[in-house]
């Protein structure tokens, strides 16, 4: 009788333990499933920058065993047609959006996600003029905080008294405020002038000539276009005023130096934000800036401006142009 009694107790304990293990297993499965998402990666087909970002993001997703669905679109696509394609694919529940069109398309889906490589996030309806998010999407600005650039700028330009920044208040006020604060922290006068169109840039440069010794620009497609950039480059060379721009192409064309996104680092930063979004842990309320950057320098322009650039700065540049 004692053996039977002990056996019954052991069986009950075994069944209880088995039930607990089974319950824990199913809870683990449910948690695992909920922590994964089918990421819709939206990008323009044939765009080399977009496709390089896609490759990097998919590498990260594969390592994390995250499911993903590529949503490439052609040049004739519209934000609405892209949005419709995303919504029709019911497996997609999180978005990674590359470029202005992709970001616009993501808003109307109401799906959470991350945007990158957007030229004008204000115009796209992603943030307000102060840089605050106004949709369900988080993202990273294409620009670099000025404080990150200043060690290189002050090394190249040994003395800066006044900086001119021409910007559009609606498109890039949040960038201007960031730059203005940094310049004040460095005891440099900031001359901020608003422009409503690209055609005003030449007039502004002529009007304020002699009141600044450096022009600093950032990504603002209202002020800076191909034609207005050429005006700024000519003004810089003729008047021997340093022009700090935001793309290597501008340096190759005649600006002294440029700071711009390091896409490999951008992908790492963006994917980390994406993981937080998927897990419901992202708490940001303002557009983020690239944490790291690349820069290019034009030695020929430096010579015209009578600037001597340290070898350490030259060696750190992605591109050094000689003419």
């Amino acid at each position: 009788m004692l053996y039977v009694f002990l056996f019954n107790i052991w069986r009950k304990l075994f069944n209880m333990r088995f039930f607990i293990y089974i319950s824990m297993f199913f809870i683990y499965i449910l948690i695992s499933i909920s922590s994964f998402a089918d990421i819709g990666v939206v990008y323009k087909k044939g765009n080399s920058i977009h496709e390089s970002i896609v490759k990097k993001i998919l590498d990260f997703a594969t390592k994390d065993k995250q499911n993903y669905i590529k949503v490439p679109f052609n040049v004739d696509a519209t934000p609405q047609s892209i949005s419709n394609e995303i919504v029709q694919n019911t497996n997609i529940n999180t978005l990674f959006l590359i470029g202005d069109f992709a970001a616009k398309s993501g808003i109307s889906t109401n799906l959470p996600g991350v945007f990158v490589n957007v030229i004008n996030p204000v115009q796209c309806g992603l943030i307000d003029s102060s840089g605050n998010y106004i949709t369900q999407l988080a993202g990273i600005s294409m620009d670099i905080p000025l404080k990150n650039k200043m060690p290189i700028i002050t090394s190249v330009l040994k003395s800066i008294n006044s900086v001119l920044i021409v910007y559009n208040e609606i498109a890039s006020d949040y960038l201007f405020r960031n730059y203005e604060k940094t310049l004040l922290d460095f005891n440099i006068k900031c001359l901020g002038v608003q422009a409503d169109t690209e055609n005003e840039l030449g007039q502004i440069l002529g009007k304020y000539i002699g009141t600044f010794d450096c022009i600093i620009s950032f990504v603002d497609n209202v002020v800076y276009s191909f034609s207005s950039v050429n005006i700024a480059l000519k003004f810089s060379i003729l008047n021997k005023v340093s022009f700090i721009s935001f793309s290597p192409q501008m340096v190759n064309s005649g600006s002294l130096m440029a700071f711009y996104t390091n896409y490999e680092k951008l992908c790492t930063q963006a994917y980390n934000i994406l993981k937080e979004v998927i897990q419901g842990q992202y708490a940001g309320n303002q557009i983020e800036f690239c944490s790291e950057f690349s820069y290019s320098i034009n030695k020929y322009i430096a010579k015209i401006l009578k600037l001597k650039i340290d070898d350490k700065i030259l060696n750190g540049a992605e591109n050094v142009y000689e003419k």
Side-chain angles (χ1 to χ4, degrees), residues 115 125-128 130-140 273 282-288:
F115 62 84
L126 298 162
I127 60 173
D128 62 23
S130 298
N132 300 309
Y133 295 133
I134 55 176
T135 75
Q136 79 282 11
L137 302 170
I140 303 176
I273 296 174
Y282 184 71
N285 55 20
Q286 281 197 323
I287 190 169
E288 300 199 18

Side-chain angles (χ1 to χ4, degrees), residues 195-209:
D196 293 325
T197 68
E198 63 185 68
N199 298 327
E200 296 176 44
L201 181 59
Q203 298 169 10
I204 291 169
L205 293 173
K207 180 179 179 179
Y208 290 95
I209 188 170

Side-chain angles (χ1 to χ4, degrees), residues 125-222:
L126 298 162
I127 60 173
D128 62 23
S129 59
S130 298
N132 300 309
Y133 295 133
I134 55 176
T135 75
Q136 79 282 11
L137 302 170
I140 303 176
S141 169
M142 287 183 67
D143 205 76
I144 315 298
L146 183 57
K147 66 179 181 180
N148 295 9
K149 309 176 189 179
M150 285 305 286
I152 296 173
I153 292 174
T154 53
S155 175
V156 174
L157 304 176
K158 302 297 190 289
S159 175
I160 313 174
N161 297 309
S162 178
V163 168
L164 173 69
I165 299 178
V166 183
Y167 70 104
N168 178 264
E169 186 176 23
I170 296 174
S172 56
D173 187 61
Y174 73 101
L175 289 173
F176 172 70
R177 297 302 168 196
N178 175 282
Y179 279 48
E180 181 183 45
K181 181 181 182 304
T182 299
L183 289 170
L184 291 175
D185 289 342
F186 279 81
N187 294 316
I188 298 171
K189 181 182 177 182
C190 177
L191 178 59
V193 182
Q194 297 178 37
D196 293 325
T197 68
E198 63 185 68
N199 298 327
E200 296 176 44
L201 181 59
Q203 298 169 10
I204 291 169
L205 293 173
K207 180 179 179 179
Y208 290 95
I209 188 170
T211 63
F212 56 90
D213 45 33
C214 176
I215 306 166
I216 295 182
S217 63
F218 42 64
V219 180
D220 184 326
N221 67 338
V222 175

Side-chain angles (χ1 to χ4, degrees), residues 229-252:
V229 164
N230 282 334
I231 290 172
L233 292 172
K234 289 177 182 177
F235 178 92
S236 167
I237 294 169
L238 288 173
N239 295 281
K240 293 184 170 51
V241 174
S242 302
F243 179 35
I244 299 172
S245 58
F246 49 85
S247 79
Q249 292 80 11
M250 293 167 78
V251 179
N252 190 31

